[in-house]
Amino acid sequence: MPDSFHLDAVPVRLEGCSKTWPGGARALEPLDLAIHGGETIVFLGPSGCGKTTTLRLIAGLESPDPGGRVLFGDEDVTALPIERRNVGMVFQSYALFPNMTVAENVAYGLKVRKVSRGERAARVGEMLDLMHLGEFAGRRIDQLSGGQRQRVALARALVVRPRVLLLDEPLTALDAKLRDSLRLEIDRLLRTLGITAVYVTHDQGEAMALGDRIVVMARGRVAQVGTPREIYYQPADGFVADFIGTMNRLSGRVGGGRLAVGRTSLPWPAPDGPVELLVRPEDLALADGEADGHLDGRVAAAVFLGDRTRLVVEPPDGPALTVDTAGRSDLARGDRVWLRVDPARLLAVP
Amino acid sequence: MSACTGIAATRSPARSPVRSRGRPSSPAGHAPLRLAALLAPAAAVFAAFFLLPLVRLIAIGAGGAEGWGAYLATLTDPGHLDSLVSTLALSAGVTVATLAIATVAGLFLVRHRFPGHALLVALLTFPLAFPGAVIGFMVIMLAGRQGLIGTVTQALTGGRLVFAYSMAGLFLGYVYFSIPRVILTVMAAAEKLDPRLEEAARSLGAPPWRVAADVILPALKPALISAGALCFATAMGAFGTAFTLATRINVLPMTIYTEFTLQANIAAAAALSVLLGLITWAALALARSAAGGSVAAAG
Ligand SMILES: Nc1ncnc2c1ncn2[C@@H]1O[C@H](COP(=O)(O)OP(=O)(O)O)[C@@H](O)[C@H]1O
Ligand SMILES: [Mg+2]
């Protein structure tokens, strides 16, 4: 890998950035966020929560409400339009120029920057090779598959050595198989280049796989910022817990240092009163029989997933629980089961 | 003829079931006949109003004292050649000016919403409803001897600026007449532009003029070519405006008119007509192949 492929790792900071549309609707509550140089940060959240708006603020396609600031390194770029920010953009719809070939698309940013013809050809060639697109250089865009188009879009954005790479749902238009392989390729690319990248998605799998850190957003607000593990194992609130992966809810009551859930009780050092507890399906296990601290219930559904069987267990009272067990399990609907729960894995969430 | 049969058939329901029961076994053998019957009215109109007069026109062009030499004379007669060249120049100028104005205005109208937007678009399409004579009349009101521009320039400079009765007046009238059509075409095409393409170009460092040149204009190109061809063809053949402004204006339709009515030089008039038709047809054909279809013939 030539040295030229390693890009500067520019940190990005958003300070008090809110966004109100001309009609008065608030897309974004005041947001403070520090993105480290070279980090891949993923904005994750349901549709309409303000992910794209935040990305466009960083890009310079939207400006924040007065008072908000966008900084690249030490430079305040708030007043700079996108064409002077030196950012790379990749869109869900590829947005390749239909009147240009693959090579011309990739060369466009260099041409605009008046890079000499010779250097242009060399850098475009390098970039196309890096993206395994060498053989497509002369193709028209409508002769490419979706995955190839998105690789061209990546090459076009990266060849100008942008300070930040911004990707807005780049895999959403692709079918599942292509999505996985291109996701791996993007991951490899971002690690190789060491570029600061902001990646927007509504797909938690993508977010977990790609993000150094994830920013979970809900209704124009940041719900939590953290590494994929932190987001998964220590969700800041019920929204994050429900949005990421599958989460079980247990309602119980604490009394005298013990927690009562249904007919079972566990040691639980907390003030007396009702509590809401969360636990992941993989943190519940099937127990051999009734014992102190085991939850009981009946199997309401057993879904064979190959590597595991996902059970839905209905306790006598309270909401159903999802439990993952071995793939070869032969439990069926109606069977009585006992569940073992490790108190250390229970999460109390505000 | 077959249209009458069709109406008769639908109007007398008693007959058609009898007919269809009478020949149930050979619907396929009947098809070419029916197709011919359906095409007959169009073919008759085409022959009666286009083909026959055209052939006759071509023949008349060669029927004068010079014979087929009349066609050559359209290009060698200095008066005629002059008329041809100035008509071509005027039409090309009108086309370029109209495309430039209409592209800028059309893009602006698509991208900016403001109070009165719909009304403005409706007003802009107004000239479509006017015959050439009315357009000419409006040019005279603006730039004629008693016109607005004359009055204003006299007040300001003491000299009266009058240009309605010349090529300049004709140019103005044609541009005014052509703008609505082109604006509507540009607006329809601009609505379909993908804003992400422009954002991608900007992210790569392209300033606004480059975005226009590299992204917007290429995307509008087919629409501009077809609208431009129509504009050119219309300007080549328009007569009413020129006739209203002055009989001295040296454009081809005017020359044909004077050759025909005043000089009674019927062969020359016919030869010039054929030439005018050929040029206009060629312009439209060229545009059609460049834009990839969908260029209608001039009205
Ligand atoms: N240009 C705009 N004008 C007005 N409202 C907008 C505009 N763009 C987006 N919105 C609204 O702002 C909110 C956030 O949008 P967006 O950032 O695109 O969400 P996400 O990318 O998370 O799906 C949505 O309610 C959306 O309808
Ligand atoms: Mg979005």
Side-chain angles (χ1 to χ4, degrees), chain A residues 56 83 87 96 108 112-113, chain B residues 197 199 202-205 214 218:
Chain A
R56 291 169 67 87
E83 55 265 34
V87 295
L96 296 173
Y108 186 75
V112 168
R113 284 168 171 70
Chain B
L197 281 182
E199 291 172 0
R202 293 180 62 199
S203 76
L204 292 163
D214 296 336

Side-chain angles (χ1 to χ4, degrees), chain A residues 47-48 50-53 92 168-169 200:
Chain A
S47 175
K51 308 180 294 291
T52 296
T53 305
Q92 179 179 333
D168 194 351
E169 311 240 9
V200 162

Side-chain angles (χ1 to χ4, degrees), chain B residues 69-99:
Chain B
Y71 284 97
L72 196 64
T74 56
L75 297 177
T76 52
D77 179 321
H80 291 172
L81 187 63
D82 192 41
S83 167
L84 174 64
V85 169
S86 57
T87 311
L88 283 172
L90 173 72
S91 303
V94 166
T95 305
V96 170
T98 307
L99 285 180

Side-chain angles (χ1 to χ4, degrees), chain A residues 56 61 81-83 87 89 91 93 95-100 108-109 111-113 156 160, chain B residues 194 196-211 213-215 218-219:
Chain A
R56 291 169 67 87
L61 287 167
I82 180 168
E83 55 265 34
V87 295
M89 289 213 77
F91 300 93
S93 58
L96 296 173
F97 307 126
N99 51 321
M100 302 180 197
Y108 186 75
K111 210 166 139 195
V112 168
R113 284 168 171 70
R156 179 182 67 177
V160 297
Chain B
D194 178 4
R196 301 284 167 265
L197 281 182
E198 290 164 48
E199 291 172 0
R202 293 180 62 199
S203 76
L204 292 163
W209 69 266
R210 272 214 88 131
V211 177
D214 296 336
V215 177

Side-chain angles (χ1 to χ4, degrees), chain A residues 35 38 116 164 184 209 221 226 228 252 266 268 292 335-336 348:
Chain A
I35 302 170
S116 74
V164 189
L184 288 170
R221 262 178 234 281
L266 309 157
W268 193 258
D292 189 32
D335 289 348
R336 180 108 195 253

Side-chain angles (χ1 to χ4, degrees), chain A residues 19-23 25-28 44-56 62 168-169 200-202 217 220:
Chain A
K19 181 68 192 177
T20 311
W21 299 118
R26 199 82 186 272
L28 211 58
L44 174 67
S47 175
C49 69
K51 308 180 294 291
T52 296
T53 305
T54 314
L55 193 81
R56 291 169 67 87
E62 305 284 354
D168 194 351
E169 311 240 9
V200 162
T201 182
H202 65 273
M217 296 185 66

Side-chain angles (χ1 to χ4, degrees), chain B residues 79-80 82-84 86-87 167 247-252 254-255:
Chain B
H80 291 172
D82 192 41
S83 167
L84 174 64
S86 57
T87 311
M167 275 294 183
T247 42
R248 290 179 290 101
I249 293 184
N250 188 17
V251 287
L252 216 42
M254 210 66 200
T255 311

Side-chain angles (χ1 to χ4, degrees), chain B residues 122-181:
Chain B
L123 278 179
L124 275 172
T125 61
F126 220 62
L128 279 180
F130 293 142
V134 176
I135 305 281
F137 183 52
M138 291 168 89
V139 172
I140 291 174
M141 307 246 282
L142 184 69
R145 274 179 284 275
Q146 313 298 325
L148 184 68
I149 293 179
T151 313
V152 170
T153 48
Q154 181 148 52
L156 290 178
T157 65
R160 209 168 240 282
L161 181 61
V162 174
F163 60 87
Y165 316 102
S166 65
M167 275 294 183
L170 201 54
F171 177 85
L172 189 69
Y174 284 0
V175 169
Y176 174 66
F177 180 70
S178 308
I179 280 176
R181 236 188 262 233

